[in-house]
Amino acid sequence: DAGVIQSPRHEVTEMGQEVTLRCKPISGHDYLFWYRQTMMRGLELLIYFNNNVPIDDSGMPEDRFSAKMPNASFSTLKIQPSEPRDSAVYFCASKQYPKNIQYFGAGTRLSVL
Amino acid sequence: ELKVEQNPLFLSMQEGKNYTIYCNYSTTSDRLYWYRQDPGKSLESLFVLLSNGAVKQEGRLMASLDTKARLSTLHITAAVHDLSATYFCAVDSDFGNEKLTFGTGTRLTIIP
């Protein structure tokens, strides 16, 4: 398997623009997680899905952030409008219940100018 | 709110030496994970510890879990340069929830 695939790897945008991050989980995995990593706050869980259904979005910082999982092989994290404080590395991870390990993608490095 | 603390945050050690990274967490949990992250890279799973007293070893790394003390350790034996990375522990927030709360990370630098 190719692992968890994220795109783009790098994104540079201007404040106020819409940003869409994409994730393809490992085939057969039924959980998908979105994380954000910054120097100040470390690694934070934003939202996770089970069988394409959002289970816990308590980590989503504000209404500017939204995530969808239209099918088992694709998820998006959207920021609209983006702000400089959204600059971070965003990771997607997936796992297959009942196994415990989450497998992480390579991440998307977002810079909002 | 679950808190996961690691210490030290930074560790610089010479090749060949032994050292231990500590991970404390604030609430009951019986699943603890260790991950490794190389600079600019993704996170790689190292160990999953599922019960009190669990011990796992892979090469020069050994992880253990004491659920009563809410403490896990990652022991490095005879460190080599290839082990330079940031190490994270993570804990399940509560039963029935798949959320992981990560520690702050320990940046390990092995000096030749």
Side-chain angles (χ1 to χ4, degrees):
Chain A
D1 201 310
V4 177
I5 300 173
Q6 292 186 244
S7 64
R9 291 295 313 278
H10 302 274
E11 177 80 33
V12 180
T13 190
E14 292 186 346
M15 183 174 63
Q17 296 298 306
E18 178 179 294
V19 175
T20 299
L21 311 182
R22 297 172 175 80
C23 176
K24 176 179 169 56
I26 294 173
S27 177
H29 282 197
D30 50 355
Y31 282 86
L32 185 139
F33 305 82
W34 283 101
Y35 291 90
R36 178 173 67 176
Q37 186 176 38
T38 61
M39 288 294 294
M40 290 297 295
R41 299 177 65 88
L43 198 62
E44 306 173 279
L45 177 67
L46 300 178
I47 185 172
Y48 79 91
F49 296 82
N50 177 218
N51 291 324
N52 314 337
V53 176
I55 302 300
D56 189 330
D57 65 354
S58 59
M60 296 286 262
E62 48 197 277
D63 291 346
R64 297 184 297 105
F65 286 68
S66 63
K68 294 182 179 180
M69 192 165 185
N71 57 62
S73 59
F74 183 65
S75 178
T76 59
L77 178 67
K78 187 176 294 186
I79 308 172
Q80 165 63 19
S82 58
E83 296 183 1
R85 60 192 168 120
D86 301 330
S87 298
V89 180
Y90 291 81
F91 287 103
C92 176
S94 71
K95 65 169 271 188
Q96 181 179 40
Y97 186 85
K99 298 177 182 177
N100 295 292
I101 298 174
Q102 293 185 21
Y103 294 88
F104 282 74
T108 295
R109 183 173 296 275
L110 173 64
S111 297
V112 183
L113 307 178
Chain B
E1 180 187 346
L2 172 61
K3 294 189 187 306
V4 182
E5 295 182 347
Q6 287 181 237
N7 69 83
L9 297 183
F10 298 94
L11 177 56
S12 182
M13 54 190 293
Q14 288 187 319
E15 280 190 328
K17 300 292 187 182
N18 303 333
Y19 210 81
T20 300
I21 299 171
Y22 297 89
C23 174
N24 290 91
Y25 53 97
S26 63
T27 192
T28 303
S29 176
D30 59 359
R31 293 191 291 183
L32 189 134
Y33 308 80
W34 284 97
Y35 282 85
R36 167 182 171 146
Q37 185 178 34
D38 291 306
K41 302 293 186 182
S42 185
L43 281 82
E44 173 190 356
S45 175
L46 293 174
F47 302 108
V48 181
L49 303 169
L50 298 176
S51 61
N52 186 42
V55 177
K56 295 276 184 77
Q57 183 163 6
E58 179 74 32
R60 302 175 187 273
L61 300 178
M62 183 174 70
S64 65
L65 178 62
D66 181 343
T67 58
K68 294 179 181 178
R70 299 179 185 172
L71 171 69
S72 179
T73 60
L74 181 66
H75 187 72
I76 303 146
T77 301
V80 294
H81 180 69
D82 286 353
L83 292 179
S84 295
T86 299
Y87 293 85
F88 292 92
C89 63
V91 179
D92 280 341
S93 296
D94 54 63
F95 297 108
N97 189 319
E98 299 297 323
K99 289 175 65 170
L100 285 185
T101 299
F102 279 80
T104 49
T106 296
R107 182 174 291 183
L108 174 63
T109 303
I110 309 297
I111 303 168

